[in-house]
Amino acid sequence: MAACGRVQRLLLLILFSCWISSSRGLKSVIVGTENAAENGERAKNAVALDGASVRRSGGWKLAEEAACREDVSRICPKHSWNNNLAVLECLQDRKDETEIAADCNHLLWNYKLNLTKDPKFESVAVEVCKSTISGIKECAAEERGKGYLVSCLVDHRNNISEYQCNQYITKMTSIIYSDYRLICGFIDKCKDDINKLHCGSVNTGEKDVHSQGEVIACLEKGLVAEQDQDPDQGPVGRFSIQDACRKAIMRVAELSSDDFHLDRHLFFSCRDDRERFCEHTPAGEGKVYKCLFNHKFEESMSDKCKDALSTRQKLIVQDYKVSYSLAKACKPDLRKYRCNMDTAMPRAREAKLSYLLLCLEAAVHRGQTVSGECQGEMLDYRRMLMEDYSLSPEIVLHCRGEIDTHCSGLHHKGRTLHCLMRVSREKGILEGHCQKALQTLIQETDPGADYRIDRALNEACESVIQTACKHIRNGDPMILSCLMEHLYTDKMVEDCEQRLLELQYFISRDWKLDPIMYKKCQNDAARICHTHGWNETSEFLPPGAVFSCLYRHAYRTEMQGRRLSRDCKTEVQRILHQRALDVKLDPELQQRCMTDLGKWCSEKTEAGQELECLQDHLEDLAPGCRDVVGNLTELESEDIQIEALLIRACEPVIQSYCHEVADNQIDTGDLMECLVANKHQKEMNEKCAVGVTHFQLIQMKDFRFSYKFKMACKEDVLKLCPNIKKKVDVVICLSTTVRNDTLQEAKEQRVSMKCRKQLRVEELEMSEDIRLEPELYESCRQDIKQHCQNVVFGNAQVIECLKENKKHLTQHCHQKVFRLQETEMMDPELDFQLMRVCKQMIRRFCSETDAKNLLQCLKQNKNSELMDPKCKQMITKRQITQNTDYRLNPVLRKACKADIPKFCQNILNNARDDNELEGQVISCLKLKYADQRLSSDCEAQISVILQESALDYRLDPQLQLQCSEEIPRLCAEEVAAQEQTGQVEECLKVNLLKINHEGCKKEVLNILKESKADIFVDPVLHTACALDIKHQCAAIPPGKGRQMSCLMEALQDKRVRLQPECKKRLQDRIDMWSYAAKVAPAEGFSDLAGQVFMSPAKSYILSMLAMCVVLLFLMGLLCGRITKRVTQELKDRRLAQPPLRKDRKGYIPIN
């Protein structure tokens, strides 16, 4: 009993003199150590090991043993030699294990082993921890004398409140964890596995290794390596640690989690690194571990320490309790949310770090409270998993081939994971298991909730975040959204762009990985899409399908079904905006269009080009891909803001002209309509214009791609144009129906009013670019290359170029252009160039004019002083076009509806459809106008044409055609005049005798003939005689040559004094008419009569004709009486002769 008491006192003194070597304490330790060394078993072992007798008298000291004397004197400070525990600690914590002799190793080994197994040693624990043992049922029930009690107390040391007991157990812990045989039951549970893995020696003397932390480390490595084995691998080469040993290993790791000194292998491996990186970090509560984890990838970190840290991290992945700080911080939350209460879950699975993270992350995403301390620990370990792919056994197992091929040498700071993400995103060559493992890891780490979890992304995007997203709180989930908004902008850097897209590629495949969206949409998803919890999945509704479900409901009307909440719809729109930046961010699109992307769009590498390419080749895509692209395009037509790149490019125009519609929460196609309407404003840059035009071209492929048109005309299309899909064909079909109903004056229009309004918008948009009219574009493609190669598309410039080169176009293109012009003349609003150039003049002169009469109104105001020169020039172009063919002048066509077939049928018979008549019909009508044979309406229109063409020779197509050589030769100076006021026609009249071409001469003579009918047709004469007309002929109405006759009579009247210029011009006209009469006699009686009636001297001519007729009548009367008398005499003489009689020989007279 005395010896037992001495042992108790000894061990108590050991506890209190653990780190301080006082002289009094040293004596007690020496005495206690001597008595403890008297244990027979220990002495026997000691003799066997070092061949020397252990001292039995006096105080037994390790420092004085021959096996350790040299090592102690060389390594340990002299003041510690009298304290066996101080010597033990000194030799245990040496810097290099090879410094201690093998005999000393074994002596230390047996010393510690016998301390643990000695019943007297255990009795100290009973004495010191009496109340603690009674409070811990498991320890109270342990069998005594085998070291189990102390091990039990070590297991529950976190629950020990007694100071002395806590100090005692803490000190014992540092001894126990130095060797696996000092741990309760460890040798029995792991004996076979140690031998199988060759991790160390079991029997004394087999292998002289003092610190069995290496053995534990070896078993730990074997445990983590087992997780990386391929389950499909055969039994050869595979190994499996027994469950009992596995639990023992994890328990050892768990118990050493608070103080890194207790993990002997890691302690020795990282001793220098600890001093380098964590010198001021206090031991305990796992702080040194965390510090070393944070510096794991520093270049100066030793490889041995990195390896030891990785092993421990892998153990934490398998059992979160191996992390002291995580287990302690999250214990209440785990219990609160029942994360370790799943009876259906195997214990090994339940203890995994991934299970803990998913369970607690689900609670956070549901809006439940998780302590800040626990969330901080979770953040650290999520970052740890993202930094080192090797901590995830699934990644190592399933992605090893891809890592070796594409990502070797990129282990640091999460680069390997990002390399795998890049390979998956760019090449799509990852196998299903590897892809799934990556997706699972992303869900476990949840970097979408905090970008800092992804160290590679954090480092790459730090500068962008500091500039573009500095207004957002650090760690906020909106940081990722902010980065996406600045993708492909000047603020984005290339490295950040790549890391961001790699991460978003995986986040986009599971809607739950976007925390903002999950928060706003979880109720809608559960209500509409029948989803489960955050960390629960369904085979019937995979994560990728949930977003498809949400966005289908986001754009439904109330009549079509349930709608999303406003907040959820906003998030759906945000995600759609992000996905539009890169087709790879749209899982369904990439999956179905992988082949088509390679086939059609392999060279399209710029942002947004791949989707545009797919839209361009819509008809060529596989059915599945075509449906996805079609649906996405249809969605864009409703909300063009989904096209983030386009909206970004169009920002100046939107701010200036479309900010009201852009600010609307719901975009129903108004923004795109506004952009189209302002496509040619000065704020419109090239990128925006190209993007808007591309979207217009895509809309031509399917009427559903124009949201407003689709909604306005859907019913009309189904009723009137079934089976027609292309928008241009639908527009033609509907517009033809509207026109026919209008011409036939139908009582009720078949096309609804709302559709007619939208149809008008579509027609106006199509007129802006020839590419928006595919049939015309295809017909004229070669002509465009030949004649308009340098003309830019848009602003109807190519169409205008084709019109100007109409004479040189191929027949098919010429016909299409003619039809287009005919349509534009009937509806001037469709003439984009006219409406653009004359926009201000229309507001000034024609604001109240009907759209169909806009050109007519502009023509009437053409010569106004307020008319814009550019608009005037455009009006002249349209007049020239109209005068080439009466069909291009709707007003003339209507007014002369009866006159044209009556007088010009021979021209119509020789005419071909869709080809101009080069003014022949109008020339024909002009001649009849001169003969005053036209109807009043037709005469009024021809009078206008004559007046206009008299001022500008270009408005007379026949004159231009026949005098193409004479005009440049004779009137070059007049042609070059800045403004045409009749100079060229006057020049031709003056040089009539010099004209050689008969056709040209005839046209000039016709002009002279026409001028007799109305002085307004002769602008030069009218200008010269304007004052005389006012004074002499004010009461005479214009037309039918009345004012011209008035002037001629005034010229002959000597009492009237005309203006010299007028008198001179009149005399010239008389001479010209005389010459015209000589060289161009009347072609018939009607022509002659017309010339007489049109002649200024018609009274004289008619009087002379009357006198001739009277003379002829009188002569007829006189000659008639003489003729009658002679005839009577002859008759009487014949009657006086005897009648004749016929006999056989002939006739004989008969009395």
Side-chain angles (χ1 to χ4, degrees):
M1 289 295 295
C4 182
R6 286 197 299 272
V7 172
Q8 291 177 355
R9 289 192 297 271
L10 157 71
L11 293 177
L12 284 173
L13 289 172
I14 290 174
L15 293 174
F16 296 120
S17 61
C18 180
W19 306 103
I20 304 172
S21 300
S22 63
S23 59
R24 185 174 180 180
L26 286 173
K27 292 180 181 179
S28 300
V29 171
I30 293 170
V31 172
T33 304
E34 179 185 2
N35 292 326
E38 291 177 353
N39 184 282
E41 184 180 356
R42 187 189 66 192
K44 181 180 178 181
N45 290 336
V47 172
L49 288 172
D50 54 32
S53 298
V54 179
R55 295 182 182 178
R56 296 178 182 272
S57 61
W60 181 80
K61 300 182 182 65
L62 282 173
E64 294 179 357
E65 289 297 324
C68 294
R69 187 183 300 124
E70 183 182 351
D71 294 317
V72 171
S73 61
R74 179 165 49 87
I75 298 173
C76 302
K78 188 173 183 180
H79 64 79
S80 65
W81 291 356
N82 293 328
N83 188 332
N84 286 347
L85 289 182
V87 172
L88 174 64
E89 187 174 7
C90 171
L91 295 177
Q92 262 189 163
D93 296 347
R94 67 195 179 282
K95 292 185 178 181
D96 191 347
E97 297 178 31
T98 58
E99 295 177 358
I100 298 178
D103 290 342
C104 185
N105 250 329
H106 283 283
L107 180 63
L108 293 174
W109 165 267
N110 284 277
Y111 174 68
K112 294 196 302 180
L113 176 62
N114 291 323
L115 282 176
T116 302
K117 287 191 173 186
D118 195 327
K120 298 173 184 178
F121 185 83
E122 189 176 88
S123 64
V124 178
V126 173
E127 181 68 26
V128 177
C129 302
K130 184 182 299 183
S131 60
T132 299
I133 295 172
S134 60
I136 303 175
K137 295 180 180 180
E138 295 179 12
C139 298
E142 288 288 355
E143 184 181 355
R144 305 297 169 89
K146 295 185 177 181
Y148 293 168
L149 176 60
V150 177
S151 297
C152 180
L153 290 172
V154 169
D155 290 348
H156 295 84
R157 71 184 186 280
N158 292 331
N159 299 324
I160 298 175
S161 57
E162 291 183 80
Y163 177 74
Q164 291 183 355
C165 181
N166 188 52
Q167 291 294 313
Y168 169 70
I169 295 301
T170 300
K171 190 58 186 177
M172 286 306 302
T173 300
S174 65
I175 297 174
I176 288 174
Y177 293 137
S178 297
D179 192 289
Y180 75 95
R181 281 188 289 183
L182 302 185
I183 300 173
C184 175
F186 194 88
I187 184 172
D188 299 327
K189 295 175 182 177
C190 294
K191 181 177 180 180
D192 295 337
D193 294 297
I194 292 173
N195 290 325
K196 180 167 55 178
L197 297 174
H198 305 286
C199 286
S201 132
V202 175
N203 300 316
T204 304
E206 180 180 343
K207 189 173 182 181
D208 292 332
V209 178
H210 159 62
S211 177
Q212 294 301 320
E214 294 293 336
V215 178
I216 297 175
C218 176
L219 287 171
E220 288 174 346
K221 290 179 181 179
L223 181 61
V224 297
E226 179 186 352
Q227 300 296 317
D228 298 339
Q229 292 181 116
D230 190 346
D232 298 329
Q233 181 180 349
V236 179
R238 283 180 54 82
F239 63 88
S240 176
I241 294 178
Q242 299 175 32
D243 290 337
C245 183
R246 179 183 290 107
K247 292 178 181 178
I249 295 171
M250 298 306 295
R251 188 59 177 159
V252 170
E254 179 184 340
L255 294 174
S256 62
S257 62
D258 64 336
D259 191 346
F260 93 113
H261 290 89
L262 307 180
D263 187 335
R264 305 307 294 172
H265 172 71
L266 187 144
F267 173 77
F268 283 114
S269 299
C270 299
R271 187 165 46 188
D272 293 338
D273 299 285
R274 186 265 171 99
E275 294 178 2
R276 185 181 304 114
F277 298 110
C278 310
E279 181 180 0
H280 301 293
T281 303
E285 298 186 351
K287 293 180 180 179
V288 176
Y289 286 127
K290 291 184 67 174
C291 175
L292 291 172
F293 288 162
N294 292 334
H295 293 86
K296 176 180 171 181
F297 292 111
E298 298 290 342
E299 292 183 2
S300 55
M301 176 70 76
S302 64
D303 292 336
K304 191 174 181 180
C305 183
K306 285 181 184 177
D307 185 58
L309 290 172
S310 294
T311 299
R312 186 151 195 94
Q313 287 175 322
K314 291 176 183 179
L315 292 174
I316 294 174
V317 170
Q318 293 192 39
D319 191 337
Y320 71 90
K321 293 181 180 178
V322 176
S323 170
Y324 177 86
S325 56
L326 179 64
K328 180 182 178 182
C330 296
K331 184 176 181 179
D333 297 292
L334 290 171
R335 185 183 302 111
K336 180 179 179 180
Y337 300 114
R338 305 178 66 85
C339 294
N340 50 5
M341 298 293 183
D342 192 348
T343 56
M345 184 75 66
R347 179 66 184 87
R349 167 76 185 279
E350 189 181 280
K352 284 183 176 293
L353 176 65
S354 60
Y355 182 77
L356 174 143
L357 293 176
L358 290 174
C359 180
L360 293 179
E361 284 167 12
V364 173
H365 286 297
R366 288 195 300 266
Q368 295 172 318
T369 303
V370 174
S371 67
E373 187 179 2
C374 180
Q375 290 198 47
E377 290 294 327
M378 290 168 59
L379 181 66
D380 290 338
Y381 284 98
R382 284 153 62 191
R383 184 187 293 118
M384 179 187 79
L385 292 174
M386 283 294 292
E387 281 185 350
D388 191 348
Y389 79 94
S390 66
L391 303 183
S392 302
E394 294 82 3
I395 300 289
V396 175
L397 175 63
H398 299 300
C399 301
R400 59 183 58 174
E402 289 79 2
I403 293 173
D404 293 340
T405 305
H406 304 284
C407 310
S408 58
L410 297 174
H411 185 72
H412 299 319
K413 302 178 182 178
R415 293 175 185 171
T416 303
L417 283 175
H418 270 276
C419 173
L420 290 172
M421 293 179 191
R422 184 181 71 251
V423 172
S424 180
R425 173 180 172 269
E426 293 180 354
K427 303 180 181 180
I429 60 176
L430 292 187
E431 295 182 359
H433 291 300
C434 181
Q435 180 98 1
K436 186 176 180 180
L438 282 170
Q439 192 72 42
T440 302
L441 177 63
I442 298 297
Q443 183 178 5
E444 292 171 0
T445 55
D446 196 16
D450 191 336
Y451 73 97
R452 295 172 298 179
I453 292 170
D454 189 341
R455 183 170 179 177
L457 176 69
N458 188 15
E459 292 182 356
C461 298
E462 186 176 1
S463 60
V464 182
I465 294 171
Q466 292 300 321
T467 55
C469 310
K470 59 183 179 181
H471 60 287
I472 303 176
R473 179 177 56 84
N474 198 22
D476 193 287
M478 284 303 295
I479 291 284
L480 276 184
S481 184
C482 173
L483 290 174
M484 288 299 295
E485 289 175 5
H486 289 86
L487 198 64
Y488 305 123
T489 64
D490 295 336
K491 293 183 179 180
M492 180 60 65
V493 296
E494 184 179 0
D495 195 25
C496 177
E497 180 180 296
Q498 293 301 319
R499 302 295 84 76
L500 181 62
L501 286 174
E502 288 159 8
L503 178 61
Q504 283 291 343
Y505 176 82
F506 284 87
I507 291 180
S508 66
R509 276 147 178 78
D510 189 345
W511 73 290
K512 297 178 296 186
L513 298 183
D514 189 311
I516 303 172
M517 182 180 182
Y518 184 80
K519 179 180 179 181
K520 299 294 180 62
C521 294
Q522 57 180 321
N523 294 329
D524 295 277
R527 175 172 55 89
I528 298 174
C529 309
H530 309 291
T531 58
H532 301 279
W534 187 83
N535 58 338
E536 299 175 17
T537 58
S538 169
E539 295 180 0
F540 302 101
L541 191 67
V546 177
F547 182 77
S548 299
C549 169
L550 289 173
Y551 94 71
R552 282 197 302 271
H553 287 81
Y555 292 90
R556 286 186 174 181
T557 63
E558 295 291 346
M559 297 298 294
Q560 290 173 310
R562 296 168 294 176
R563 291 181 64 88
L564 300 182
S565 62
R566 180 181 294 273
D567 289 343
C568 183
K569 181 173 181 179
T570 301
E571 289 307 308
V572 171
Q573 290 174 329
R574 177 178 65 84
I575 298 301
L576 288 172
H577 297 171
Q578 293 178 2
R579 290 188 173 189
L581 298 171
D582 193 324
V583 295
K584 298 182 180 67
L585 298 182
D586 190 326
E588 187 179 12
L589 180 65
Q590 189 191 26
Q591 180 183 359
R592 296 199 185 183
C593 298
M594 184 67 71
T595 303
D596 291 295
L597 282 168
K599 183 177 182 181
W600 305 107
C601 312
S602 57
E603 297 180 358
K604 304 294 183 179
T605 57
E606 296 296 326
Q609 285 187 345
E610 288 178 309
L611 179 57
E612 290 181 0
C613 172
L614 290 174
Q615 290 172 331
D616 290 338
H617 292 87
L618 188 65
E619 296 87 353
D620 305 318
L621 303 180
C625 180
R626 184 165 59 243
D627 291 341
V628 175
V629 176
N631 291 336
L632 182 58
T633 308
E634 188 175 354
L635 193 62
E636 287 178 350
S637 71
E638 181 178 355
D639 184 6
I640 192 58
Q641 296 193 58
I642 292 173
E643 277 282 2
L645 291 175
L646 175 62
I647 296 302
R648 193 180 295 163
C650 297
E651 189 65 28
V653 183
I654 293 174
Q655 291 297 325
S656 300
Y657 303 99
C658 310
H659 61 277
E660 292 183 0
V661 293
D663 293 338
N664 292 340
Q665 288 291 331
I666 300 176
D667 179 17
T668 54
D670 296 324
L671 182 55
M672 176 52 73
E673 192 173 280
C674 177
L675 289 173
V676 171
N678 294 279
K679 195 163 76 169
H680 302 288
Q681 299 291 348
K682 62 181 181 180
E683 290 84 357
M684 178 67 71
N685 54 61
E686 184 180 359
K687 284 186 177 180
C688 181
V690 170
V692 173
T693 302
H694 176 265
F695 196 79
Q696 288 181 283
L697 294 174
I698 297 305
Q699 287 181 326
M700 293 295 106
K701 297 177 182 290
D702 195 320
F703 80 95
R704 295 178 300 119
F705 296 165
S706 299
Y707 178 76
K708 299 190 77 172
F709 182 56
K710 176 186 70 174
M711 299 306 294
C713 299
K714 184 164 41 178
E715 296 177 0
D716 300 273
V717 172
L718 292 174
K719 181 174 65 175
L720 302 171
C721 311
N723 303 321
I724 299 180
K725 187 175 181 181
K726 288 187 176 181
K727 178 181 173 182
V728 63
D729 296 334
V730 172
V731 171
I732 292 172
C733 171
L734 293 175
S735 60
T736 303
T737 304
V738 172
R739 184 177 64 179
N740 292 341
D741 289 346
T742 304
L743 293 176
Q744 295 171 9
E745 298 181 354
K747 293 182 180 180
E748 186 177 351
Q749 287 276 357
R750 287 175 290 174
V751 180
S752 63
M753 175 61 72
K754 64 177 182 178
C755 182
R756 292 203 301 271
K757 288 182 178 180
Q758 192 58 37
L759 184 64
R760 187 69 181 166
V761 174
E762 300 300 330
E763 289 176 331
L764 294 176
E765 288 183 3
M766 289 168 60
S767 66
E768 185 267 338
D769 195 321
I770 191 172
R771 293 172 296 179
L772 300 180
E773 300 191 44
E775 188 176 353
L776 173 63
Y777 181 56
E778 290 302 322
S779 300
C780 297
R781 190 183 289 268
Q782 294 301 322
D783 299 274
I784 293 172
K785 288 182 179 179
Q786 185 174 354
H787 304 293
C788 311
Q789 187 175 6
N790 298 323
V791 179
V792 180
F793 286 103
N795 252 341
Q797 294 180 90
V798 174
I799 295 176
E800 196 67 22
C801 171
L802 292 174
K803 291 176 182 176
E804 293 173 357
N805 292 277
K806 192 164 56 175
K807 294 181 180 179
H808 310 294
L809 302 180
T810 58
Q811 183 179 0
H812 195 43
C813 178
H814 189 282
Q815 291 174 349
K816 296 293 182 183
V817 172
F818 180 81
R819 288 180 187 173
L820 175 65
Q821 288 180 315
E822 189 175 3
T823 303
E824 290 177 348
M825 294 304 176
M826 292 179 64
D827 191 351
E829 268 194 324
L830 300 180
D831 189 339
F832 186 87
Q833 276 282 5
L834 176 69
M835 300 304 293
R836 184 183 69 84
V837 175
C838 297
K839 184 177 182 179
Q840 297 300 325
M841 297 300 102
I842 291 173
R843 291 179 180 175
R844 175 173 291 174
F845 298 110
C846 312
S847 58
E848 298 181 0
T849 305
D850 184 76
K852 305 289 183 183
N853 301 319
L854 282 176
L855 181 57
Q856 195 70 13
C857 171
L858 289 171
K859 289 195 295 186
Q860 292 170 0
N861 294 277
K862 173 184 171 182
N863 296 316
S864 169
E865 294 180 357
L866 300 177
M867 177 59 69
D868 177 64
K870 291 183 179 179
C871 179
K872 185 174 183 179
Q873 185 180 5
M874 181 59 65
I875 296 170
T876 301
K877 283 185 178 182
R878 296 300 178 258
Q879 288 178 298
I880 294 172
T881 300
Q882 282 189 325
N883 290 349
T884 58
D885 197 305
Y886 77 98
R887 291 170 293 184
L888 300 179
N889 191 332
V891 179
L892 175 68
R893 187 175 185 177
K894 182 178 180 181
C896 301
K897 185 177 181 180
D899 300 86
I900 292 173
K902 180 179 179 181
F903 299 112
C904 312
Q905 187 61 48
N906 60 327
I907 299 174
L908 297 180
N909 292 338
N910 298 324
R912 291 185 301 175
D913 292 339
D914 304 328
N915 280 334
E916 290 89 342
L917 299 173
E918 298 298 341
Q920 295 179 59
V921 171
I922 295 178
S923 295
C924 167
L925 294 174
K926 285 179 181 179
L927 292 175
K928 302 309 173 185
Y929 171 83
D931 295 341
Q932 300 181 4
R933 300 175 64 184
L934 300 177
S935 62
S936 57
D937 291 341
C938 186
E939 183 178 289
Q941 291 302 316
I942 292 298
S943 174
V944 173
I945 292 174
L946 285 169
Q947 292 175 31
E948 292 170 347
S949 58
L951 290 171
D952 193 338
Y953 76 100
R954 295 171 297 176
L955 301 184
D956 190 336
Q958 280 295 310
L959 180 66
Q960 269 197 300
L961 179 66
Q962 300 296 339
C963 301
S964 57
E965 296 179 0
E966 307 294 341
I967 290 176
R969 181 172 63 85
L970 300 174
C971 311
E973 202 173 312
E974 288 78 0
V975 170
Q978 188 172 1
E979 188 174 356
Q980 292 295 321
T981 55
Q983 311 97 309
V984 175
E985 284 196 359
E986 186 67 18
C987 169
L988 291 173
K989 292 173 184 177
V990 171
N991 293 284
L992 181 61
L993 298 177
K994 299 180 181 179
I995 296 175
N996 300 324
H997 192 278
E998 290 299 323
C1000 180
K1001 185 180 291 185
K1002 183 178 179 181
E1003 287 300 319
V1004 176
L1005 292 173
N1006 287 338
I1007 291 172
L1008 288 170
K1009 179 180 177 181
E1010 293 157 4
S1011 65
K1012 293 181 183 180
D1014 198 332
I1015 193 170
F1016 287 98
V1017 177
D1018 192 336
V1020 175
L1021 179 61
H1022 181 265
T1023 302
C1025 298
L1027 191 60
D1028 295 294
I1029 291 174
K1030 183 177 180 181
H1031 291 160
Q1032 307 298 331
C1033 311
I1036 300 175
K1040 297 186 177 181
R1042 288 187 287 264
Q1043 289 187 342
M1044 183 66 77
S1045 298
C1046 172
L1047 288 174
M1048 296 300 295
E1049 291 174 0
L1051 179 64
Q1052 294 173 1
D1053 191 344
K1054 295 181 180 180
R1055 295 172 300 174
V1056 178
R1057 295 185 61 183
L1058 299 177
Q1059 294 292 326
E1061 183 65 18
C1062 178
K1063 189 173 182 178
K1064 178 178 179 303
R1065 294 292 180 184
L1066 280 173
Q1067 193 59 54
D1068 291 342
R1069 293 298 181 270
I1070 293 173
D1071 295 340
M1072 291 179 186
W1073 292 332
S1074 300
Y1075 177 76
K1078 292 178 183 178
V1079 299
E1083 297 179 356
F1085 179 77
S1086 60
D1087 193 16
L1088 178 62
Q1091 289 185 13
V1092 170
F1093 281 101
M1094 293 299 298
S1095 172
K1098 68 176 181 179
S1099 300
Y1100 173 76
I1101 295 173
L1102 291 175
S1103 61
M1104 293 301 295
L1105 286 174
M1107 289 178 63
C1108 292
V1109 170
V1110 170
L1111 288 173
L1112 287 174
F1113 180 72
L1114 293 175
M1115 289 178 65
L1117 288 176
L1118 180 61
C1119 293
R1121 295 181 69 85
I1122 296 173
T1123 304
K1124 184 177 181 182
R1125 187 166 53 248
V1126 172
T1127 304
Q1128 186 62 38
E1129 289 179 355
L1130 290 174
K1131 186 176 180 181
D1132 293 343
R1133 191 181 302 166
R1134 186 177 297 167
L1135 291 173
Q1137 290 181 356
L1140 296 178
R1141 184 177 178 180
K1142 187 175 180 180
D1143 57 11
R1144 294 179 180 177
K1145 295 183 178 179
Y1147 290 97
I1148 55 174
I1150 299 176
N1151 292 325

